[in-house]
Amino acid sequence: MGKERALYVAVLAIACLFVLVGYNNQTKIRIAPKEMISVAHRGASAYAPENTRAAFQKGVDLQADYLECDVHLSKDDELIVMHDDKVDRTTDGKGYVRDKTLAELRTLNAGKLFGEDFVGEPIMTLQELVDEFYSEVGLVIEIKNPETYPGIEEKVAHVLERYDDLSGIIIQSFDVDSLKKIHSLLPDVEIAILIRPTDSFMSQQRIEEYTAFANYINFNVSFTNKRMVDLVHEHGGKVLVWSKKDRRLIWKAQKYGVDGIISDFSEKPEEMYLAKE
Ligand code: G3P
Ligand code: CA
């Protein structure tokens, strides 16, 4: 190889290296940057069975600002931390949460999704979650299907009323009426309205109505855009975005200028630590 050609190859190789390093740096930011709120969706559910003590502890270990959980009511009116209204997908049982007592739910293995490593992981109540974790991390409590559980708002309020400082609590739901009720019961607690993909493009009037009592309007990241986020901000609201599948969650979150992300923490833990330092 002539000198000139060797120099050309060397320059080309260095250029390629720069491009690769640049690409890596751009795509490596997969978790919430320091200035964004980081919420562990159903706990750090990429690492441990969703909505269990193990997933919540993992969220704390990974320095989430908040742990997100979902709640239903059991047959004997206990607030149960679980995503689905049935136990089938996440436990070794069958049937609706509302048809089982807490004692019956306690016999189920909620570690099913992660197999052998989490056999025997129990279902938690909201009371246990708040008692065990609220002293060290914020909580985002999602009320699921409130129309199925008359009085669930009062039950949630009752669990929280024992705490003097509720500034680390956010209550969210897709059901606006239920959130209005929570707001009247717990006026100091932050409220987040979850927006369904089909309702993503909201009128100014709707945003005004929502931000009159809610602190956050939260979207699936695939069904919002910068204009919508700007509009919420202009009305004094904040925005969290979530996604289970969109690999560009962080990239979009930054581009849209949202206040935080709700994710399974399915990125490398060492990068999460780096971002929080
Ligand atoms: O926090 C947003 C998210 O939890 C809403 O969806 O189905 O995971 O409860 P889902
Ligand atoms: Ca949820």
Side-chain angles (χ1 to χ4, degrees):
M1 189 186 299
K3 255 189 192 168
E4 213 171 279
R5 190 173 159 76
L7 187 66
Y8 173 76
V9 170
V11 169
L12 194 66
I14 289 168
C16 284
L17 200 64
F18 270 112
V19 169
L20 277 177
V21 168
Y23 175 76
N24 249 340
N25 279 345
Q26 268 187 353
T27 56
K28 204 175 172 185
I29 306 165
R30 294 196 185 283
I31 48 110
K34 269 183 284 192
E35 66 275 13
M36 273 194 211
I37 297 165
S38 168
V39 183
H41 183 236
R42 309 180 195 172
S45 54
Y47 294 96
E50 64 183 53
N51 280 315
T52 65
R53 190 175 274 106
F56 296 128
Q57 185 55 54
K58 193 71 187 169
V60 172
D61 296 345
L62 295 175
Q63 301 183 11
D65 299 306
Y66 290 84
L67 306 173
E68 192 256 2
C69 71
D70 307 280
V71 294
H72 296 263
L73 270 184
S74 66
K75 189 176 178 182
D76 48 352
D77 278 349
E78 294 287 343
L79 286 161
I80 304 298
V81 177
M82 186 174 290
H83 180 270
D84 301 357
D85 56 356
K86 290 176 109 175
V87 300
D88 303 40
R89 181 179 61 87
T90 55
T91 79
D92 52 354
K94 281 196 185 313
Y96 288 96
V97 174
R98 64 175 178 267
D99 291 338
K100 297 181 189 302
T101 62
L102 176 59
E104 287 166 339
L105 290 163
R106 289 283 199 211
T107 65
L108 303 178
N109 167 27
K112 172 182 162 183
L113 291 175
F114 278 69
E116 294 295 302
D117 288 349
F118 294 92
V119 168
E121 190 68 39
I123 284 168
M124 288 189 89
T125 63
L126 181 66
Q127 184 77 68
E128 289 166 342
L129 175 65
V130 179
D131 286 348
E132 291 175 36
F133 288 93
Y134 184 47
S135 59
E136 48 186 338
V137 66
L139 298 175
V140 177
I141 301 165
E142 179 177 349
I143 302 180
K144 282 288 185 201
N145 313 337
E147 71 284 356
T148 315
Y149 308 111
I152 190 169
E153 296 85 1
E154 283 83 358
K155 299 268 175 208
V156 171
H158 184 65
V159 167
L160 297 175
E161 272 161 2
R162 293 173 38 223
Y163 292 81
D164 293 332
D165 179 4
L166 293 175
S167 60
I169 300 285
I170 300 172
I171 300 185
Q172 68 176 7
S173 182
F174 287 100
D175 188 310
V176 176
D177 289 337
S178 176
L179 290 174
K180 283 183 176 164
K181 198 167 172 189
I182 281 284
H183 182 58
S184 68
L185 293 166
L186 297 168
D188 297 333
V189 170
E190 290 202 301
I191 299 289
I193 300 177
L194 294 169
I195 304 298
R196 294 181 196 285
T198 44
D199 300 332
S200 299
F201 295 96
M202 296 192 298
S203 65
Q204 294 233 26
Q205 194 188 349
R206 179 63 61 87
I207 294 174
E208 264 168 41
E209 183 203 326
Y210 285 179
T211 51
F213 78 101
N215 308 81
Y216 292 86
I217 300 186
N218 298 347
F219 299 86
N220 182 307
V221 78
S222 303
F223 296 93
T224 192
N225 55 42
K226 183 157 177 13
R227 179 175 149 64
M228 199 49 67
V229 174
D230 286 347
L231 272 175
V232 175
H233 283 158
E234 280 164 27
H235 286 81
K238 294 178 272 188
V239 174
L240 305 178
V241 287
W242 82 87
S243 179
K244 276 190 72 69
K245 293 192 183 129
D246 196 331
R247 299 299 300 164
R248 300 201 303 165
L249 172 63
I250 298 299
W251 181 82
K252 287 182 178 175
Q254 285 187 299
K255 188 174 151 197
Y256 300 163
V258 304
D259 302 278
I261 61 160
I262 303 170
S263 86
D264 295 355
F265 272 50
S266 51
E267 293 79 23
K268 292 178 187 162
E270 59 271 23
E271 289 178 15
M272 290 184 184
Y273 281 115
L274 277 178
K276 295 307 249 181
E277 277 167 6

